[in-house]
Amino acid sequence: MIKLNIKTTSKVEIIDITNVIKDAVSKLNKNDGIVFVYVPHTTAAITINESYDPKVGNDILDILDRIAPNNLKYKHIEANAQAHIKASLIGSSIMLILENGEIKMGKWQGILFCEFDGPRNREIWIKVI
Amino acid sequence: MIKLNIKTTSKVEIIDITNVIKDAVSKLNKNDGIVFVYVPHTTAAITINESYDPKVGNDILDILDRIAPNNLKYKHIEANAQAHIKASLIGSSIMLILENGEIKMGKWQGILFCEFDGPRNREIWIKVI
Amino acid sequence: MIKLNIKTTSKVEIIDITNVIKDAVSKLNKNDGIVFVYVPHTTAAITINESYDPKVGNDILDILDRIAPNNLKYKHIEANAQAHIKASLIGSSIMLILENGEIKMGKWQGILFCEFDGPRNREIWIKVI
């Protein structure tokens, strides 16, 4: 697999990693298959959504804060229970189609890394099958 | 990959596409593998759930409206921020097991296409690996 | 595919199945690929999250109860609409990377089976590609 490093800079944050993923996959010189992108963390996630307007990502973060507010009383005592919950709602991996050496996505789609308990040094694992 | 077209007819809507997917995959004459079903849109999604009673889909839509109501003030100004958020909560792809030429699912499971910002002409991409 | 059986004992419950999955996959003697873990039910789900502190799972269940409370009026009349909704929010499958004969996960990650309408006898399907 390929391991990429990503440094987040805020407590909660959405980062467009579309080009990072495309560049990493293109170096494998694979023509056809499925690209599996995996986040090996429990307080971060990955999703596909509009990346053209970054405000879409902000709205996603705002609604996730409504769902799992910081000031709720949680059982997990590390003060990041809300980040764990958000991670399971969004999910820790995505899959993409690779054809003719290119990752195929819809016109408005981008790959968004979701930091819910930063800032931290994060990893992204990629495997093409 | 196979590209299927689907025409939605409402603003928000869940459409049972189980047979559409099964028919498309059966034409590939593949015996064994994983079926990847991908929605190349940012205001639609795909999920696996009960398709026998369509009211299950209605309940899913109702709860998503509670999570991301139409009348909330969003930062994204195209009046469809709620549709983007719902797409990331449900997800843009599913995977299924193919064995002996058949897609294997649980007894009550169906494949549900989720329109959150229709009506529109949508695509579904399928790749078997 | 491998079929595993799991017996849940509560109405809603999160069960750490990391070792069950790892053991099942190790018996296949496969070295490299992607592990697909599929839940063939519509009122249960699977997610990756922290398994070290079981309270993380409890917090996930609590927030899902806030999102889809038991006492809401649902259209589906089997009194388990909330379980169906939770299943689509969390998702019915996960994927994992297999390398050198080992499932690769982040330090704090575990595989969590989510029962939303138990107690029941459940199945988990695994396919390695």
Side-chain angles (χ1 to χ4, degrees), chain A residues 1 4 9 40-41 48 54 61 63 67 93 96 99 101 105 110 112:
Chain A
M1 73 173 111
L4 302 178
T9 57
H41 306 288
I48 294 169
L61 292 177
I63 290 291
I67 293 174
S93 68
L96 300 156
E99 281 199 347
M105 300 179 73
L112 305 180

Side-chain angles (χ1 to χ4, degrees), chain C residues 73-117:
Chain C
K73 191 148 179 52
Y74 296 101
K75 288 161 183 159
H76 180 59
I77 56 169
E78 285 175 37
N80 64 357
Q82 66 276 39
H84 287 290
I85 295 160
K86 293 169 185 179
S88 277
L89 287 173
I90 298 299
S92 59
S93 68
I94 58 159
M95 306 278 288
L96 299 156
I97 293 172
L98 182 71
E99 281 198 347
N100 305 318
E102 266 188 14
I103 290 177
K104 300 295 182 191
M105 300 178 72
K107 185 182 177 183
W108 300 101
Q109 289 186 316
I111 306 167
L112 305 179
F113 181 85
C114 307
E115 173 62 81
F116 297 130
D117 192 34

Side-chain angles (χ1 to χ4, degrees), chain B residues 27-40:
Chain B
K27 283 177 192 147
L28 295 176
N29 287 318
K30 292 215 183 182
N31 207 47
D32 195 88
I34 294 281
V35 178
F36 178 56
V37 188
Y38 182 80
V39 172

Side-chain angles (χ1 to χ4, degrees), chain B residues 7-126:
Chain B
K7 198 174 172 54
T8 63
T9 57
S10 305
K11 182 75 179 175
V12 295
E13 183 180 3
I14 283 184
I15 301 170
D16 183 357
I17 56 169
T18 313
N19 290 332
V20 176
I21 302 294
K22 285 186 174 174
D23 290 353
V25 171
S26 72
K27 283 177 192 147
L28 295 176
N29 287 318
K30 292 215 183 182
N31 207 47
D32 195 88
I34 294 281
V35 178
F36 178 56
V37 188
Y38 182 80
V39 172
H41 306 288
T42 58
T43 55
I46 189 165
T47 189
I48 295 168
N49 214 309
E50 181 180 326
S51 55
Y52 182 79
D53 179 6
K55 285 174 186 158
V56 169
N58 296 336
D59 285 327
I60 292 172
L61 293 177
D62 287 350
I63 291 290
L64 288 172
D65 274 337
R66 272 168 55 103
I67 292 173
N70 292 329
N71 61 359
L72 212 67
K73 191 147 179 52
Y74 296 101
K75 287 162 183 157
H76 179 60
I77 56 169
E78 286 175 36
N80 64 356
Q82 66 276 38
H84 288 290
I85 295 161
K86 293 169 184 177
S88 277
L89 287 172
I90 298 299
S92 58
S93 68
I94 58 160
M95 305 279 288
L96 299 156
I97 293 172
L98 182 72
E99 281 199 347
N100 305 319
E102 267 188 14
I103 290 177
K104 301 294 182 191
M105 301 178 73
K107 186 181 178 183
W108 299 102
Q109 289 185 317
I111 307 167
L112 306 179
F113 181 85
C114 307
E115 173 62 81
F116 297 130
D117 192 34
R120 297 206 200 199
N121 293 310
R122 299 295 200 175
E123 284 186 15
I124 297 165
W125 298 352
I126 305 173

